[in-house]
Amino acid sequence: MRPPSPRIPHLPPLPATADLVVVGAGIVGLAHALEAHARGHSVLVVERDPRPDGASARRSGHVAVTTQDAATLSCALASRERWLKLGREAGFWVKDTGAVVVARSADELAVLDDLVAARDGDAQLLDAAQASERARVAAGDVVGGAFLPLDLRIEPRDALRALAASLDARPRADVAWSTTALTFEAGTGRTLVRTSRGEVVARRVLVAVGPDLDRFFPGDIARAGLRPDVRQVLQVAAPGRAHDPAGPAVLGGTSLLRDAATAHSPALADVRERLRTNAPELLDAGVHLAITPHGDTLLLGEARRTDADRREDAGLDRDPERSEAADALLLREAETLLGRPVEVRRRWSVPDLAVPRPRRGPFAGTPFVVTDPTPGVTTVTVADGLGTTTALGLAAKVVDGLL
């Protein structure tokens, strides 16, 4: 008997034409494909990986609505409604768990007080006992907190798989896994998309590949002012009876430093100065503590390489060594909040992009960068890890001017 063939199983042919070809099956790409298809356009999504494995799939699945601001908040609110609707239709888990921000100092509580006042009913101030109970953390030095009821949680890999399968099952819609986009050749009102599985003629092409944008358009990341970033995540064993798999996301005080909605608080300068004096290593590693339940584990995020690590990384490739110092800081902060040691089960990194704000253009002051690098091709990038929170709302605005 002959041994089984080692060849990859046969993949169905790609459609010859599509109104919109989307490169990238992360949440940004799928959001735009779903929006275009809902408006009656034929769509094809091509993704080089055989399953969801990019930045969207590696994040915690926290849809952080309340801490956004201005146009970003508008997109987050729209995304919230879309997540709930798509969860019912496509059958994946999405829950309005809310989020709890835990304050461990008077200045952090002052920032949260300003946030609650600005959100006018969409955030609730908590005393120390309420914050500890809602977050299920050790009372310790907790002085209060805030509950953010609009926030959601999803299981990102399951949600991306379900969204892709739901789209692929619809007429005039295809999702092609294990398919690499190679080149885009502009024609008269059409663009020829060459892929590893053949050619497709598209009315428009949308490239949503996050940090991999420079693989298609070298230099575009720098021209847009985007800076490559890598965030580190730890998965730890849940600490016993206090664990609630469907509980809220829990945010530490350092998360206040990155959230747009808290930037208006005068007390934020006090938080930053206190950390600069007492814990400069947290600022150096960009520790933004978030604890998110997942099954019988917790995800701890996020931190990045320290300044010393980055100096050592100079000249290395795009995948630098993981920072043990950043992991140690993330673990230290989580154990302090939880009030007990935890066992690390897995570690991984999430590629990301950071964008300066403010800047010029229609998306000034947002994490959104939309460019048209060549005729017929649009790129959409959501920076600062906010794709899960905003992409489903952003897609409506982008598709309005696309087709």
Side-chain angles (χ1 to χ4, degrees):
M1 296 178 62
R2 290 189 300 177
S5 170
R7 292 181 300 174
I8 296 174
H10 175 70
L11 296 171
L14 301 180
T17 64
D19 292 329
L20 179 66
V21 171
V22 176
V23 181
I27 187 54
V28 178
L30 288 174
H32 286 78
L34 287 162
E35 184 67 30
H37 188 267
R39 300 183 185 205
H41 303 294
S42 61
V43 298
L44 167 66
V45 180
V46 297
E47 168 58 55
R48 68 179 183 183
D49 292 324
R51 64 188 67 83
D53 194 40
S56 302
R58 300 183 194 186
R59 293 199 175 277
S60 69
H62 175 207
V63 182
V65 176
T66 312
T67 52
Q68 308 314 315
D69 192 36
T72 310
L73 176 60
S74 173
C75 287
L77 288 167
S79 289
R80 182 185 194 276
E81 299 310 310
R82 290 285 284 154
W83 274 121
L84 292 169
K85 181 174 184 291
L86 289 167
R88 293 190 297 268
E89 294 174 350
F92 58 85
W93 187 84
V94 54
K95 189 172 178 62
D96 52 351
T97 60
V100 180
V101 189
V102 178
R104 294 164 53 201
S105 64
D107 49 23
E108 291 175 357
L109 189 58
V111 174
L112 292 177
D113 195 12
D114 290 339
L115 173 66
V116 169
R119 284 293 171 261
D120 191 25
D122 287 337
Q124 304 162 12
L125 203 64
L126 306 174
D127 62 26
Q130 292 169 328
S132 300
E133 176 63 26
R134 289 240 188 174
R136 300 198 177 188
V137 298
D141 55 357
V142 173
V143 299
F147 179 59
L148 315 180
L150 294 180
D151 288 17
L152 306 177
R153 281 187 49 220
I154 62 168
E155 293 289 348
R157 290 184 191 274
D158 292 344
L160 291 172
R161 288 191 192 100
L163 288 176
S166 173
L167 180 64
D168 192 51
R170 302 177 189 184
R172 304 178 69 233
D174 296 274
V175 178
W177 300 99
S178 301
T179 305
T180 302
L182 302 174
T183 60
F184 314 111
E185 300 178 16
T188 305
R190 295 289 186 272
T191 299
L192 178 66
V193 183
R194 298 186 187 275
T195 81
S196 57
R197 287 173 54 195
E199 301 174 351
V200 181
V201 176
R203 278 179 58 197
R204 292 285 298 187
V205 177
L206 186 138
V207 178
V209 293
D212 288 333
L213 181 61
D214 61 350
R215 296 185 187 274
F216 293 96
F217 303 105
D220 265 34
I221 285 181
R223 281 192 291 272
L226 294 163
R227 293 182 290 102
D229 196 9
V230 178
R231 289 280 165 177
Q232 298 181 189
V233 178
L234 300 175
Q235 185 176 33
V236 304
R241 63 178 181 81
H243 174 61
D244 179 5
V250 176
L251 309 176
T254 53
S255 67
L256 300 173
L257 298 176
R258 70 172 179 178
D259 294 328
T262 57
H264 308 294
S265 172
L268 192 64
D270 297 330
V271 175
R272 185 173 284 106
E273 184 57 33
R274 174 177 52 80
L275 291 174
R276 186 178 291 116
T277 301
N278 300 332
E281 67 278 10
L282 297 180
L283 297 178
D284 184 21
V287 174
H288 301 304
L289 179 64
I291 303 174
T292 313
H294 281 262
D296 63 348
T297 66
L298 303 175
L299 296 190
L300 309 181
E302 300 172 337
R304 57 171 168 77
R305 300 186 314 284
T306 65
D307 287 340
D309 293 323
R310 288 193 292 276
R311 285 192 293 270
E312 291 181 7
D313 288 342
L316 296 181
D317 62 18
R318 61 191 294 136
D319 296 315
E321 293 294 324
R322 188 178 185 89
S323 169
E324 292 296 328
D327 279 354
L329 288 170
L330 192 56
L331 196 60
R332 184 192 80 185
E333 289 300 294
E335 290 181 338
T336 299
L337 191 57
L338 293 169
R340 67 193 74 186
V342 292
E343 174 194 353
V344 177
R345 291 190 175 177
R346 292 180 60 208
R347 309 165 187 254
W348 65 85
S349 298
V350 183
D352 200 2
L353 292 166
V355 62
R357 306 181 205 177
R359 62 189 193 284
R360 296 178 181 177
F363 293 106
T366 73
F368 314 134
V369 177
V370 181
T371 69
D372 297 304
T374 61
V377 178
T378 296
T379 73
V380 179
T381 303
V382 179
D384 300 336
L386 290 173
T388 302
T389 295
T390 61
L392 289 168
L394 172 66
K397 299 179 182 296
V398 174
V399 172
D400 274 343
L402 204 62
L403 295 165

